[in-house]
Amino acid sequence: AQTRRLYYGIDNGALCFWPLTRAAAAASKFVGVHKGPVTAIATPRKEDGELGRAGLLVSGSVDSTIKVWDYQGKVILDPAVCVQTL
C-alpha cells in the first residue's frame, strides 16, 4: 500500500505535510525549514531513481537553495533531517 501525504511550504520557510488517512484529523508533521519561503516541492517515486527509492523529499526556496530531506528516517536514523543543501 502506498502512503499518501499532502506536502506544503509556508512563507516562513517551513516545510510540512499532512498524512492522508481515513483516520480522523491526522496532525500536520514538520519536515524542516528554509531561510525563505518554500517555492517548490518534489516527491520522487520509487521508479524515479535513487531519491525515490530512498523515500527522500526535495524542496526549493526563494533563498536560492534546494534541500533534500530524509523525513522518514530511512537514510539517517533521526527523522526530518536535511541530507543535502544545493
Side-chain angles (χ1 to χ4, degrees), residues 14 18 22 34 40 47 54-58 65 72 75-77 82:
W18 276 293
R22 294 182 188 258
H34 279 273
E47 58 270 15
L56 301 176
L57 178 67
V58 181
T65 63
Q72 299 178 60
V75 175
I76 299 173
L77 294 179
C82 180

Side-chain angles (χ1 to χ4, degrees), residues 10-53:
I10 304 176
D11 284 349
N12 69 3
L15 178 64
C16 306
F17 70 90
W18 276 293
L20 299 177
T21 64
R22 294 182 188 258
S28 178
K29 307 286 185 186
F30 176 77
V31 175
V33 67
H34 279 273
K35 292 181 182 174
V38 175
T39 56
I41 300 170
T43 56
R45 296 176 184 223
K46 289 180 182 175
E47 58 270 15
D48 293 335
E50 278 188 53
L51 290 176
R53 285 191 295 276

